[in-house]
Amino acid sequence: MLQGPYGSLGDREKPLIRLPFTDFAVGTVLLALTGLIACIVISLMIHFDESTYTHCQVPNYLPSISASISLVPERYIWRFCIGLHSAPRFLVAAVYFCFYRGRFAKSFPDLALSGLALITAIVENVGLLLLTYVSSTETYSVHKNGFITFIASSLLHMLITCRLWQVIKKFSLNPEELVSFRWKVRLFVFNVSCCLIAAYFFRRHNKYCEPGIYTMFALCEYLVVLSNMAFHMTAFLDFANKELMVTTPTEDKHY
């Protein structure tokens, strides 16, 4: 359950876990960020030639994310981090839906859009799990489809979220919600821009096989993922005064 930090528990509820939502949000994002940085650094240090190799066989200096998470031990580090990261992501998606449902209870179009936001968040997480646990060196087509699913659902989720928060902003006097909306829009625009630039460099690399172009694609790919993480990190602002609690009801005693 999610409630304010000073909310009182019911007489029949006993707290098992009590955690500020800000700590929960930061920890969730740090799992993915730590795994990504570790995989890229290890790939550069011990698997440079393998991770930067492409069919063009021209010099490149950074591995793509797919290449950096497909080698060993990078593969297992990434799977471990994303495996732990995925369960909280599903929970955050449900928390947002409950939040939207409370805000849009009397507006069916926005409520329906909230449901779509929940679906896209779940699909995004499933796509991430798919591209994580099926590497490009194992079954490329499955990994590719997982990556496409992740990117497409991520962009749609961010677009829907920005729309919902635009509505919230109109009727809210909370300055934190205004800041959250602005950061969501900035990160969405940045993410879309990086996706388009990455697609340009990927196509140019495959067509002309120029040295260093795949490195530019990899750099843009990093920025796409990092801006996605930052977008989800705005939950830090949205639920700054909330706590995540796991409770159990006290058993009745009959004499």
Side-chain angles (χ1 to χ4, degrees):
M1 62 183 293
L2 193 69
Q3 65 175 49
Y6 304 109
S8 59
L9 292 173
D11 294 336
R12 295 170 56 81
E13 294 179 332
K14 182 190 295 184
L16 293 177
I17 299 174
R18 190 167 190 160
L19 181 69
F21 196 87
T22 51
D23 294 348
F24 179 78
V26 171
T28 300
V29 173
L30 282 180
L31 279 170
L33 180 61
T34 301
L36 177 64
I37 293 174
C39 289
I40 292 172
V41 170
I42 293 173
S43 295
L44 289 172
M45 291 179 63
I46 65 176
H47 295 134
F48 181 82
D49 291 336
E50 300 97 313
S51 63
T52 58
Y53 174 84
T54 70
H55 70 282
C56 288
Q57 300 184 27
V58 293
N60 285 295
Y61 312 102
L62 288 175
S64 67
I65 293 178
S66 294
S68 65
I69 66 174
S70 63
L71 301 168
V72 177
E74 297 95 313
R75 180 191 305 172
Y76 301 116
I77 294 172
W78 181 248
R79 288 178 179 178
F80 175 77
C81 290
I82 294 302
L84 292 178
H85 162 90
S86 61
R89 281 282 298 275
F90 285 120
L91 179 58
V92 171
V95 168
Y96 266 112
F97 179 69
C98 291
F99 171 77
Y100 294 143
R101 188 172 58 184
R103 288 298 184 102
F104 304 125
K106 297 180 180 180
S107 175
F108 178 76
D110 292 322
L111 188 60
L113 206 57
S114 303
L116 187 57
L118 174 64
I119 293 171
T120 53
I122 292 173
V123 173
E124 177 187 346
N125 205 23
V126 170
L128 178 60
L129 288 170
L130 185 60
L131 71 88
T132 294
Y133 286 96
V134 182
S135 69
S136 59
T137 57
E138 293 173 330
T139 308
Y140 177 75
S141 60
V142 175
H143 177 84
K144 177 183 176 181
N145 289 331
F147 180 79
I148 293 173
T149 299
F150 169 73
I151 292 296
S153 57
S154 170
L155 290 172
L156 183 56
H157 174 74
M158 286 191 282
L159 177 62
I160 293 171
T161 300
C162 288
R163 165 59 187 164
L164 291 172
W165 280 85
Q166 184 181 33
V167 177
I168 290 173
K169 178 180 71 71
K170 292 179 181 178
F171 305 100
S172 175
L173 299 177
N174 186 338
E176 289 182 347
E177 292 179 345
L178 179 59
V179 172
S180 176
F181 167 71
R182 288 174 176 172
W183 274 111
K184 283 177 170 64
V185 172
R186 291 168 186 164
L187 290 166
F188 171 63
V189 172
F190 182 77
N191 189 274
V192 171
S193 300
C194 289
C195 284
L196 293 175
I197 297 171
Y200 165 75
F201 282 126
F202 185 78
R203 183 177 181 276
R204 181 170 168 175
H205 167 74
N206 287 329
K207 187 174 182 179
Y208 299 109
C209 286
E210 299 168 284
I213 293 299
Y214 199 76
T215 297
M216 298 304 297
F217 161 74
L219 181 60
C220 291
E221 192 181 32
Y222 300 165
L223 294 177
V224 168
V225 173
L226 291 174
S227 58
N228 175 272
M229 292 180 186
F231 188 94
H232 288 293
M233 190 67 177
T234 57
F236 183 97
L237 296 170
D238 301 337
F239 305 111
N241 62 340
K242 302 296 183 180
E243 285 186 335
L244 181 72
M245 300 185 63
V246 178
T247 64
T248 182
T250 304
E251 295 182 0
D252 289 334
K253 294 183 178 181
H254 300 282
Y255 297 96

